[in-house]
Amino acid sequence: MLGPVESRSVSPVFVGRTTELETLDDALARATTGEPQALVIGGEAGVGKTRLVEEFATAAARAGAVVALGGCVEIGADGLPFAPFSTALRALRRQLPEELAAAAAGQEDELARLLPEVGETPVGLGADRSGEEGMARLFELTARLLERLAADRTVVVALEDLHWADASTRHLLTYLFRTLRTGRLVVLATYRSDDIHRRHPLRPLLAELDRLRTVRRIELGRFTRDEVGCQIAGILAREPDPAHVDAIFERSDGNAFFVEELAVATHEGGCTGLTDSLRDLLLVRVERLPESAQRIARLVAEGGSTVEYRLLAAVADLAEDDLIEALRAAVNASILTVAPGDDGYRFRHSLVREAVADDLLPGERSRINRRYAEALEADPTLVPAGERVMRLASYWYHANDPAKALPAVLDASVTARRRRAHSEQLRLLERAMELWDATPADIRATLRPVDYTEAYPPPLSERRGGTAEPAAPLRYLDLMAEAAVAGRRCGERERALKITKRALHLLEEEHDPLRAAWFWIQRSRLVQALARGDGWKEIGTAQDLVRGLPPSEVHAEVLATAASWSMLRDPGPDAVSAAERAVEYARMVGAEDIELNARLTLGGLMVEAGDGAGLDQMYEVKEAVLERGLVSVVGRSHVNLPSALEGVGRSAEAVAILREGLRLTQEWGLRDSEAWVWVNLAESLVSLGRWDEAAEAAVGAQRTSQSAKPRGGAAARLAQLALDRGETAEAARHLAAARASYGTHDPMPQHNLPMSRLALGTAAAEGRLLDARAEADRVLDAGFPPGTQRYVWPLLLDAAVAESDARALPSSGGRDGRTAFLGRLFEAVRTLATGAPVWRAYERWTRAELDRAEDRTDAGTWSDVVTAFESLARPYDLARVRHRLAEALLTEGGDDERARATELLRLTRATAVHLGARPLADATALLAQRARLSLTTAPPPADPADTLGLTSRERDVLRLVSAGRTNRQIAEELFISPKTASVHVSNILGKLGVSGRGEAAAVAHRMGLFPVETLTSGSRG
């Protein structure tokens, strides 16, 4: 190996960049206090990004930080998956071996996908069935590993050349920037800004980072004329001629690398010979090297970002002394430099490497790649084990040898999948499909699948329970299946959908119902994910294809998918039947994950049908998932079981499981499952009267979610809280956000019914009774799917409450319309299921509100409702029905009734104040005031009319407006002119901040300004 050689073209003096270094130093100082820092440094090629990072890294190390550098590796046009993270983690392991081992404890096999040295990546049939969750888990574990390492020391992770980054590296970096929460950690990345064209894959990442306020962007500009002078002085070790500085500044335009090249060329007397071509400028010093050194430069240019010395020696076919002399000449000329780790060589600047590579002839390029591939096949130890398969695939592909390239590319695709690098897996599989027809048939006949993705059907001889016959040859359809799943997992759904459609087109020409059904299920998932439909048509096609076939994993998957779809959109007997058969078939073929998912679906359907045994089944699945560590099911088990418990009123049990779910989903990196856990936790905490915690949980869901629907659920929870707290405008804002997140392409009762309830409640709170009634009518017209009573009962209740509270107001829409609507509500209540205690309580409450709407209520009825809720842990609901009972007792009169009403109102007010439920608190205070009850030792509440600034005459006018009088009728009753009455009405509307008489009446009613008797007595027809 050649030792370090002094370079003559690099200035030993660091020039300029004062502002940029101050930003980096500030980030280091903040990180030292435990606040993670994220920075991205951009600049054109040659502007000095690497030099800036080196200066910062040196200063950080002097300050006691542990610094790990990683660079994105380019082999031809390919990036190695996770290469910069693997390099950085390897550096951390060298510096902190014991600490990294402790931080990775228990997760070594998963982290081995990034750092093979710490464990063994699972291989073999079924080793990776965790879908999108697997990559999310790897990302989360990486984030937690870095946080643990940075808990007691400052760690700097610098990733260079992000413009070459593979998609998996980009996704992981984005994840880290979004989720790092604690630790003395600095993560910075550099990229070449002049390479980022409109379609460059890095462009979306940069746009997303711009939206993250936690990421700081640094853009490096070119040097000024004075800075160029300082740089040249450092290179020449003397003050340069001002004329030469002017000339070089003009030619280089302040680009630091070009300044170096021009300064050396001037010093060596070759400046006048330079052309205006950038490529010629970069090649001029290469062409001055001895022929052997030029040849080595060409080999290194095609070998990748870094080429190991032993690999280069095998390819160069030179005597070792001759090779070392050639390398020495290239290093002395500052063309090549020793790579970090002293085990290989790279170009000192990537611009020179690109120029040399571009100067290769087509035949020369393929010949060099062939020599690399042959050398690596002959001795696999020439490169690090973690890079071997990927690099061999790239070398053979660029050697234009399909017979060698196809097997190598397929091996690389398997490695990419095992490393959760699904974007690279997709690229490699597309490359394999490209090579397929060009590869000789006898070579293709020797290829065998390593395993089969998800439930994709292997040949009969290999299916679960089959014989031990030799594996069947790989088929083109097998590649398409792998590519479709890889595309779905990495988010390239459009590409995956195109592959799926092509596969189905090919399957039209052959009878293979299992594979066709499998691809139709993939298409259904992709159509739903792309918001192109609800996916049921595709599921139905798959069901038709497998109908009548023997049990298989595909058959079980189709049935489980159909049951899960129906549970969310159209629950009923057909869904239960599909779930039962999915469980049966999955057991028969040994597909454990499909079986457990189907059992979760079946248990949920049973609970919704009123069968409590469904909860027992869901508990069994949860325990089985935890015992076997099934990542693909753990998220769903800790979302669906608590949801079922909440649906039957067992909120405290739900919260306990949801807390466990948060721990597991965070530990395993299941971000979207974690978001759904937060959503369900918010719902259960609302029921338990822990509203502040519920709001925090909803915000947690919004922060965590990586897809739209969990954000919709979080917004719906916040809307309900705002409505119950009297923040109507805020409720409307959250409702709009929820609707936008849910969209209209895939309606589900669990989303639509709560949305209708919120719309109804918001309209009622704003005094828009007809709008509230119309929303309820729409729901009644559509009917209630089986198993949706948990969502329907609160909606029917809110509709009944709106009518009950409006009974004293002028009949909106006519008395006949109101009577008909109440009749529809009575009929809906009569037919809705009441299998759970919470549903029976809601039924009694809704019936009582409907009786109250027709002035038929009595204290006995409300006492039964209160009794029903006293056995449930729902404090807000209990407070509301206590308020109703107190009102009924006061209407009946009597000292005992007044004493009991006083105690009920005290309890109600205490709950309302604790929760911040302002409308309930106001209603309680006003009822006590009207009844002249003292709930505390404090003075009775002030007359609300005074708080509105109404005069006594305006109060009289508002009372008549609330009773439905016209201006002329008001004038007759108060002995004033109609014009004066009109002026009073206008003043009242202004003071109340409303736009019409109906809204004014609603405000007066809500504040209890006038007893019912004063509104109804003597009313005119």
Side-chain angles (χ1 to χ4, degrees), residues 777-788:
D777 272 327
R778 277 193 291 272
V779 175
L780 292 169
D781 289 341
F784 311 135
T788 57

Side-chain angles (χ1 to χ4, degrees), residues 668-699:
W668 289 356
L670 309 176
R671 298 286 287 181
D672 251 14
S673 293
E674 180 190 347
W676 279 120
V677 171
W678 280 117
V679 170
N680 288 354
L681 180 60
E683 181 180 18
S684 293
L685 289 172
V686 167
S687 298
L688 293 171
R690 295 155 62 179
W691 286 9
D692 290 341
E693 293 178 66
E696 292 173 3
V699 172

Side-chain angles (χ1 to χ4, degrees), residues 734-992:
H734 287 305
L735 173 58
R739 282 174 166 162
S741 295
Y742 286 145
T744 58
H745 68 284
D746 187 12
M748 298 182 191
Q750 67 174 357
H751 300 154
N752 296 347
L753 290 171
M755 292 300 94
S756 293
R757 180 196 176 195
L758 286 167
L760 187 157
T762 303
E766 293 174 347
R768 297 183 286 109
L769 183 61
L770 287 179
D771 290 342
R773 193 178 292 168
E775 186 67 40
D777 272 327
R778 277 193 291 272
V779 175
L780 292 169
D781 289 341
F784 311 135
T788 57
Q789 49 273 2
R790 64 176 294 186
Y791 307 111
V792 177
W793 275 121
L795 187 149
L796 292 179
L797 172 66
D798 286 359
V801 169
E803 297 296 330
S804 174
D805 284 345
R807 71 194 189 286
L809 297 178
S811 183
S812 300
R815 185 171 297 278
D816 291 343
R818 182 171 186 272
T819 301
F821 178 67
L822 290 175
R824 296 195 73 188
L825 291 180
F826 269 116
E827 181 61 22
V829 168
R830 187 184 66 81
T831 58
L832 196 60
T834 57
V838 68
W839 303 343
R840 289 193 291 274
Y842 269 114
E843 181 207 18
R844 291 181 179 180
W845 187 0
T846 307
R847 287 184 180 276
E849 293 288 357
L850 291 173
D851 286 343
R852 183 174 181 266
E854 295 186 336
D855 293 318
R856 295 199 308 262
T857 191
D858 59 60
T861 298
W862 284 110
S863 183
D864 290 342
V865 178
V866 169
T867 300
F869 276 96
E870 282 177 337
S871 62
L872 305 174
R874 304 174 94 85
Y876 180 59
D877 290 342
L878 179 59
R880 291 176 66 191
V881 297
R882 280 173 170 168
H883 173 265
R884 289 294 202 229
L885 175 56
E887 179 187 56
L889 289 168
L890 291 171
T891 300
E892 291 183 1
D895 292 341
D896 291 343
E897 285 77 8
R898 286 177 61 83
R900 188 180 175 199
T902 301
E903 183 58 29
L904 288 168
L905 291 177
R906 284 174 178 164
L907 293 171
T908 299
R909 189 190 63 174
T911 300
V913 171
H914 172 71
L915 296 176
R918 185 170 52 82
L920 179 59
D922 290 347
T924 301
L926 290 168
L927 179 58
Q929 177 191 359
R930 286 167 51 196
R932 299 186 180 277
L933 299 177
S934 176
L935 303 184
T936 65
T937 56
D943 188 336
D946 295 338
T947 65
L948 296 173
L950 299 178
T951 65
S952 59
R953 175 60 78 186
E954 287 168 349
R955 178 179 173 130
D956 292 336
V957 172
L958 178 57
R959 175 177 58 81
L960 296 172
V961 167
S962 300
R965 305 292 198 273
T966 65
N967 285 350
R968 180 172 297 280
Q969 290 170 330
I970 292 171
E972 291 174 358
E973 189 154 336
L974 299 181
F975 304 101
I976 57 177
S977 68
K979 184 175 181 180
T980 301
S982 176
V983 171
H984 282 311
V985 170
S986 297
N987 290 339
I988 291 167
L989 297 182
K991 290 181 179 182
L992 268 59

